[in-house]
Amino acid sequence: MNNVFNNKYTYIICILLAIIVAFSVVFFEKKNKSESIVRIDGEFANEYPTVEALKQDSELILEVTANSVNTLKYEGLVFSIADSNVKKVYKGSVPGNTVKILETGGTFEGKEYIFEDSPVFKVNESAIVFLKKYSGPVASDAYYVTGSIQGKFRMAGGKLKPPHFAPGELASVRDLNNLKLN
C-alpha cells in the first residue's frame, strides 16, 4: 500500500514538473522573441486619406514580387532594399522588369526592425505599391513607398491588405477594385 501511495505522488510530482518546464520554455521563448523585435515609430510627412491622393502623388504604381531583400544600417537606422520583379505596371514606366524598393526596417544583426507595425518585404512576397523615385545616400536607382508605408498593399490569396496605420479610405482597401487602377 505504501508503494502505491509513493508511486501516486511520484506520478503527480512528475506531471507538475513537466508543466513547470513547459511553461518556462514558452515564457522564455516569447520573452526572447519580443526582445528581438525593435518597433520604430515616426510621423508621416504626408498623409493620404484617399486612393486618388495616393495615385496622384506617385510616380509608379506596380504589382511586384520581391526576389531578394538586402538589409543595411545607415546612420543608426536600418533599411531594406527589395529587388522586385514587376508583374504589372498601372502607372509610369519601368526600364526592364525589376525595380529596387527601399523601406525603413528589416532584419539586422538578429533583430527585426519594424516601422509603424509594417514589416518590410520578405522574399516571394507580392504587393501593389505606389512609389516615388529615391534620391539620397542609402541606395542608388531605387524607389520608396509613397507615404512611407501608406502606399504598400500586401497581396495574399487574391486579397489586398492595407498597411496597419492606413488613414481614411486606404484602411478599407481589400481588392484591386478598391484601388481603382483600371
Side-chain angles (χ1 to χ4, degrees), residues 140-155:
S140 61
D141 195 31
Y143 291 84
Y144 65 94
V145 177
T146 304
S148 185
I149 62 169
Q150 298 169 67
K152 181 179 176 185
F153 299 85
R154 296 174 188 282
M155 299 177 76

Side-chain angles (χ1 to χ4, degrees), residues 47-140:
E47 217 173 89
Y48 297 92
T50 66
V51 171
E52 194 56 41
L54 190 62
K55 284 168 48 176
Q56 287 179 2
D57 204 28
S58 299
E59 295 172 38
L60 296 175
I61 303 173
L62 309 171
E63 178 183 332
V64 298
T65 300
N67 288 329
S68 65
V69 179
N70 297 306
T71 305
L72 61 111
K73 199 168 197 176
Y74 181 80
E75 292 189 2
L77 285 175
V78 173
F79 296 93
S80 290
I81 302 169
D83 285 317
S84 304
N85 273 344
V86 176
K87 301 293 182 184
K88 186 166 185 177
V89 177
Y90 292 98
K91 179 181 179 182
S93 63
V94 180
N97 61 350
T98 61
V99 65
K100 288 194 248 179
I101 302 172
L102 176 67
E103 295 181 276
T104 303
T107 302
F108 188 80
E109 293 181 349
K111 291 186 178 185
E112 184 176 7
Y113 295 81
I114 301 175
F115 181 71
E116 291 295 344
D117 287 335
S118 292
V120 299
F121 271 106
K122 304 274 188 260
V123 173
N124 295 323
E125 183 176 42
S126 296
I128 301 292
V129 287
F130 294 70
L131 303 171
K132 287 183 161 186
K133 183 73 171 161
Y134 173 76
S135 174
V138 178
S140 61

